[in-house]
């Protein structure tokens, strides 16, 4: 198929967002808009689009956030369903791949776990599944008031400002025992502040045990949906139901700010947080595979 691959006009990215939402119904609009809204937080960002006779038939982006570990970038490719299996996705992917900076050694991607054909294609390009994220949602109605245990206090810290910032930063780092942190994606208060600054409404809550920072939850509200970016409990404070109580408090804060639904994604193997979500009433709505490939092995 003869298509034209070029940089799209980003003065209005609505056609690109709409194509992605139409092609992937489980993708929320805020997720589709994310690379455009947060462009200033990227160390590297490249968009390419495919046109057939002037009509948009697909688009892709490669990005590298300033908080990424060295040598890794993410690529995402979307093709209109009626134009699949015609070489559009491959042409977009190869164009982005050829334009990546030389220091990029690892390429990441994410694929909806219902898109089995897309997963098969990614595997033929050398990608391997490293995680399976489970997406869950909770309607923010009839919310119970959290009941913190003895010595536990809950604070609304949606400003992400703290009188004892060093202690909270230490808690945040200590709590990151997730696979992403092991790969080098270690979040900081600074990186969360950058993202929150572009959100419609940031939400964050802190649990203290005997006044010491012990657990934190951070997210943002977009179009009525609270997306939880991170929930972490300090290793010395685990086993006290802090995540359960803190998520309850975060739900209340979000509902007061106008959110009607909470959305979160957790690694399939993280039995603890998934058990907490089930206890809170979350319902599984989908999932996504996270993939990685060495640049010298992909094609």
């Amino acid at each position: 198929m003869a298509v034209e691959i070029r940089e799209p006009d980003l003065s209005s990215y609505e056609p690109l967002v709409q194509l992605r939402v139409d092609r992937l119904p489980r993708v929320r609009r805020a997720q589709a808009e994310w690379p455009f809204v947060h462009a200033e937080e990227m160390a590297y960002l490249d968009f390419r689009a495919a046109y057939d006779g002037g009509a948009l038939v697909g688009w892709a982006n490669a990005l590298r956030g300033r908080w990424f570990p060295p040598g890794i970038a993410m690529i995402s490719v979307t093709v209109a369903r009626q134009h699949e299996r015609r070489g559009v996705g491959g042409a977009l992917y190869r164009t982005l791949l050829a334009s990546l900076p030389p220091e990029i050694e690892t390429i990441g991607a994410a694929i909806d776990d219902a898109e089995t054909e897309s997963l098969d294609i990614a595997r033929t390009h050398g990608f391997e599944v490293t995680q399976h994220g489970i997406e869950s949602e909770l309607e923010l109605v009839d919310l119970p008031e959290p009941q913190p245990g003895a010595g536990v206090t809950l604070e609304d810290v949606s400003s992400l400002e703290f009188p004892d910032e060093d202690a909270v930063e230490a808690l945040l780092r200590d709590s990151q025992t997730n696979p992403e942190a092991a790969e080098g994606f270690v979040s900081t208060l600074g990186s969360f502040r950058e993202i929150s600054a572009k959100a419609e409404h940031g939400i964050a809550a802190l649990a203290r045990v005997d006044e010491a920072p012990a657990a934190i939850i951070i997210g943002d509200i977009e179009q009525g949906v609270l997306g939880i970016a991170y929930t972490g409990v300090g290793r010395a404070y685990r086993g006290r139901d802090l995540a359960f109580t803190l998520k309850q408090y975060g739900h209340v804060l979000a509902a007061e700010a106008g959110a009607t639904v909470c959305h979160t994604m957790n690694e399939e193997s993280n039995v603890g947080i998934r058990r907490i979500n089930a206890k809170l009433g979350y319902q599984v709505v989908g999932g996504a595979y996270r993939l990685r490939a060495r640049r010298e092995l992909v094609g």
Side-chain angles (χ1 to χ4, degrees):
M1 175 184 178
V3 297
E4 180 188 4
I5 306 294
R6 67 173 189 263
E7 295 183 18
D9 177 5
L10 297 181
S11 61
S12 173
Y13 52 75
E14 175 60 26
L16 306 178
V17 170
Q18 193 60 53
L19 189 154
R20 184 160 285 180
V21 171
D22 289 345
R23 175 59 185 81
L24 299 169
R26 294 202 308 205
V27 169
R28 293 178 289 116
R29 183 176 181 83
Q31 292 172 307
E33 290 180 331
W34 199 92
F36 305 101
V37 173
H38 295 278
E40 293 180 2
E41 294 142 45
M42 298 298 114
Y44 174 79
L45 185 59
D46 188 11
F47 291 98
R48 301 301 168 101
Y51 298 89
D52 180 15
L56 177 69
V57 297
W59 68 280
N61 64 274
L63 61 82
R64 171 176 164 74
R66 291 199 294 267
W67 65 94
F68 282 24
I72 187 169
M74 302 295 177
I75 286 182
S76 179
V77 179
T78 304
V79 178
R81 190 172 295 280
Q82 63 270 32
H83 292 277
E84 291 179 329
R85 305 181 189 87
R86 300 172 64 188
V88 177
L92 286 166
Y93 171 72
R94 288 189 295 273
T95 302
L96 283 178
L97 189 63
S99 298
L100 286 175
E103 64 269 21
I104 299 300
E105 300 173 345
T106 302
I107 301 168
I111 293 178
D112 189 310
D113 64 7
E115 299 289 327
T116 55
E117 186 172 347
S118 296
L119 180 61
D120 290 341
I121 292 171
R123 282 177 164 147
T124 66
H125 284 284
F127 285 85
E128 296 181 354
V129 174
T130 58
Q131 292 186 60
H132 182 204
I134 303 297
E135 294 183 280
S136 305
E137 289 187 354
L138 174 71
E139 292 189 17
L140 299 180
V141 295
D142 300 324
L143 298 174
E145 287 295 325
Q147 302 294 323
V152 178
T153 55
L154 305 177
E155 298 179 4
D156 177 357
V157 293
S158 298
S159 67
L160 292 179
E161 299 294 337
F162 308 91
D164 53 348
E165 177 157 332
D166 289 347
V168 177
E169 190 80 74
L171 157 71
L172 179 59
R173 288 184 177 274
D174 177 67
S175 69
Q176 293 181 65
T177 54
N178 49 324
E180 294 87 352
E183 190 179 15
F185 287 90
V186 178
S187 298
T188 66
L189 290 175
S191 60
F192 281 126
R193 284 175 183 140
E194 280 192 299
I195 293 171
S196 180
K198 295 293 183 65
E200 290 179 10
H201 191 106
I203 292 289
L206 181 72
R208 295 180 182 270
V209 174
D210 298 329
E211 300 186 0
I216 192 166
I217 183 172
I218 300 173
D220 55 67
I221 300 172
E222 298 284 356
Q223 299 161 12
V225 178
L226 167 64
I228 296 180
Y230 183 71
T231 303
V233 180
R235 279 175 266 195
Y237 298 99
R238 292 176 180 175
R240 305 190 190 194
D241 287 334
L242 291 181
F244 178 85
T245 306
L246 194 59
K247 290 191 82 165
Q248 281 188 320
Y249 184 52
H251 297 157
V252 171
L253 293 178
E256 290 175 349
T260 59
V261 175
C262 180
H263 177 275
T264 187
M265 178 181 286
N266 305 103
E267 164 58 28
E268 184 178 31
S269 63
N270 191 339
V271 176
I273 193 64
R274 292 184 61 213
R275 184 183 297 121
I276 289 170
N277 287 344
K279 186 178 177 182
L280 287 164
Y282 280 78
Q283 301 295 313
V284 174
V285 295
Y289 292 111
R290 292 170 178 167
L291 303 97
R292 296 289 185 268
R294 297 294 295 174
R295 184 175 184 175
E296 71 268 18
L297 300 177
V298 298

